[in-house]
Amino acid sequence: MNGAAPPPSPPPIKDTIDANSGRFEFLKQTLTLGLAGIGGVAALFTDPSRVPSDTFSKWVLVLAGAGLLFVVAFAVMGLSAYANLLTVSARVPQNADDVDKYSKGVRGHARVVIIALSLALAGTVTFAVNRLFAPPTTPEGAVTTAAGFVAKETKLTADMIHFDKMETDGDAYVVTFSVPTTGNGFTIRVAKKDGSVAEATQQKRP
């Protein structure tokens, strides 16, 4: 007997669960929130008229989307680390190194989720404020936006699209183009408030 104190025993599984239950709930909620946010961002791309036309809005939207992707990815990894933690905690005898490793994994992934969630929130708020207070578009800007939209839809260059006319209709500019090579016509409604494409219709010219 040398009188040395025995090494501390690993905490029981109940203590491990109690110590990380809050992080487990946090990771579950942020996973749900992140998936819902990704669905909302994806919905913007189902309709070309919803996609912002200005570069700044596109970049803050990319920031928000990237943040949400990191939220989902690290929430999933954090939940996996928590499951592994419960597994190693239930073993007899426990491996203290494994318990410590997975405990740190849960904490580390939760911290990354917090940072990613902050970035996603910052991007979303900036995007919303920019759309809300964006200066009204000019007639020239409406024609440029509409021409770019038609060029993207038809995969033609700007010199192959013919500008016909532009009118005002309430809160929108109505720009009409024709495409001589296909015989089609396009009518584009561009919102005066933020310069976004509110509606687009295509007609077959006689």
Side-chain angles (χ1 to χ4, degrees), residues 146-158 161:
F149 179 86
V150 174
K152 181 179 178 181
E153 289 296 303
T154 59
K155 295 181 173 55
L156 297 174
T157 57
I161 301 169

Side-chain angles (χ1 to χ4, degrees), residues 108-177:
H109 288 106
R111 288 169 183 161
V112 175
V113 168
I114 292 174
I115 295 172
L117 199 59
S118 300
L119 291 176
L121 179 62
T124 303
V125 170
T126 304
F127 176 78
V129 170
N130 181 65
R131 298 284 290 213
L132 186 62
F133 295 102
T137 189
T138 61
E140 294 80 6
V143 173
T144 301
T145 298
F149 179 86
V150 174
K152 181 179 178 181
E153 289 296 303
T154 59
K155 295 181 173 55
L156 297 174
T157 57
D159 59 329
M160 301 176 69
I161 301 169
H162 182 264
F163 169 74
D164 290 338
K165 63 179 180 178
M166 184 183 70
E167 302 172 335
T168 58
D169 182 17
D171 59 353
Y173 294 106
V174 181
V175 189
T176 304
F177 289 91

Side-chain angles (χ1 to χ4, degrees), residues 44-53 58 61 131 152 196-197:
L44 291 175
F45 297 95
T46 59
D47 184 352
S49 64
R50 297 180 181 178
V51 179
S53 57
K58 290 179 179 179
L61 192 59
R131 298 284 290 213
K152 181 179 178 181
S196 62
V197 176

Side-chain angles (χ1 to χ4, degrees), residues 2-3 7 53 70-71 83 90 94 106 116 126 187 194:
N2 54 12
S53 57
F70 273 93
V71 167
Q94 283 186 7
V106 174
T126 304
T187 301
D194 58 5

